[in-house]
């Protein structure tokens, strides 16, 4: 059964590439490519948020976001849930992980727009705010990568745990988009590709417009 459309998978694996690219280009002071990578990340995050509102059923926040108590209950019961993976979307804990990662990446990208390091580069919106605000944005932008690294580590550890302990291959599902389900399972509704292209184009256009402020 198809559970992940190509758009969700495109965002997921593009972010997997762009996070280390952003980090390494910043470390090597290759700021032109660092900013390009940041713009691409921001475009994808905005698109994923929009797709989470009006896109495919498994990608929608209202489909997979359950209460924090449900997520904690799921984590407590993991050892007793060994067997086939029957989720047609993110499990309760995974849903909150998606929200955390998107929130961190959005904050990281937006603070970068206001950052001015006075040496290598200036974000396109740095001149639109006071120096103190720009400094605060830079402070967050530099240090938030540590939190992102921790969350990525937890995410990878959880994926490995699901595979080893429960036999749930979440990586394969995110690569090919399908999962084996019991006969008679109703496939979730997928979003229209024209809508996805329109949202992706709008996201890219918005980020390009912002980039031209600088």
């Amino acid at each position: 059964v198809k559970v992940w459309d190509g758009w969700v998978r495109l965002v997921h694996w593009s972010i997997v590439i762009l996070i280390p690219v952003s980090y390494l280009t910043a470390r090597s002071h290759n700021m032109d490519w660092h900013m390009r990578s940041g713009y691409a990340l921001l475009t994808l995050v905005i698109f994923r948020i929009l797709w989470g509102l009006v896109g495919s059923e498994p990608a929608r926040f209202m489909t997979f976001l359950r209460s924090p108590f449900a997520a904690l209950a799921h984590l407590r019961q993991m050892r007793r849930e060994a067997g086939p993976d029957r989720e047609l979307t993110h499990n309760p804990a995974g849903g909150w992980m998606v929200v955390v990662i998107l929130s961190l990446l959005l904050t990281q990208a937006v603070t970068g727009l206001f950052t001015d390091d006075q040496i290598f580069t200036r974000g396109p919106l740095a001149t639109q705010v006071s120096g103190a605000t720009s400094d605060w944005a830079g402070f967050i932008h530099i240090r938030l990568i540590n939190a992102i690294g921790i969350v990525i580590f937890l995410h990878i550890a959880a994926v490995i745990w699901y595979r080893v302990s429960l036999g749930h291959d979440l990586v394969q599902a995110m690569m090919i988009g399908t999962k084996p389900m019991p006969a008679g399972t109703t496939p979730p509704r997928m979003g229209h590709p024209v809508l996805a292209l329109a949202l992706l184009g709008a996201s890219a256009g918005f980020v390009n417009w912002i980039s031209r402020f600088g």
Side-chain angles (χ1 to χ4, degrees):
V1 173
K2 186 173 183 178
V3 294
W4 300 123
D5 58 56
W7 306 102
V8 170
R9 284 146 48 210
L10 170 68
V11 170
H12 181 279
W13 295 113
S14 296
I15 287 176
V16 168
I17 296 171
L18 287 171
I19 288 177
V21 168
S22 295
Y23 178 77
L24 293 173
T25 50
R27 294 282 297 190
S28 63
H29 306 302
N30 192 345
M31 301 310 292
D32 286 342
W33 280 102
H34 178 74
M35 293 183 72
R36 291 188 186 104
S37 179
Y39 292 145
L41 267 172
L42 182 57
T43 298
L44 291 173
V45 170
I46 293 173
F47 167 73
R48 181 62 184 89
I49 292 172
L50 295 175
W51 198 240
L53 297 175
V54 298
S56 298
E57 185 179 355
R60 292 194 180 194
F61 299 117
M62 65 180 297
T63 301
F64 63 76
L65 267 189
R66 303 168 212 179
S67 73
F69 300 104
L72 292 174
H74 170 78
L75 292 174
R76 285 196 299 268
Q77 297 170 2
M78 279 199 306
R79 287 183 177 275
R80 292 175 285 173
E81 292 182 352
D85 180 8
R86 298 306 187 209
E87 290 282 356
L88 290 173
T89 182
H90 297 291
N91 63 55
W96 282 104
M97 179 63 77
V98 170
V99 171
V100 169
I101 291 175
L102 288 177
S103 299
L104 288 173
L105 292 178
L106 181 62
T107 303
Q108 181 76 352
V110 170
T111 54
L113 299 175
F114 294 92
T115 298
D116 183 359
D117 64 10
Q118 307 291 331
I119 302 173
F120 293 107
T121 192
R122 174 189 294 164
L125 299 182
T127 58
Q128 308 298 313
V129 297
S130 67
T133 300
S134 179
D135 290 343
W136 179 241
F139 177 85
I140 296 173
H141 188 73
I142 291 172
R143 285 157 181 79
L144 194 61
I145 189 61
N146 296 320
I148 293 174
I150 292 171
V151 170
I152 290 173
F153 172 81
L154 293 175
H155 176 58
I156 295 173
V159 169
I160 294 173
W161 171 264
Y162 276 94
R163 183 68 181 92
V164 173
S165 181
L166 305 179
H168 297 178
D169 194 344
L170 304 181
V171 174
Q172 178 173 301
M174 188 56 71
M175 290 183 69
I176 64 176
T178 61
K179 288 182 181 180
M181 291 288 173
T185 299
T186 302
R189 185 188 63 81
M190 295 291 116
H192 200 284
V194 173
L195 175 61
L197 284 172
L199 293 176
L200 184 58
S203 302
F206 176 68
V207 172
N208 181 63
W209 174 69
I210 290 177
S211 72
R212 295 182 181 275
F213 275 79

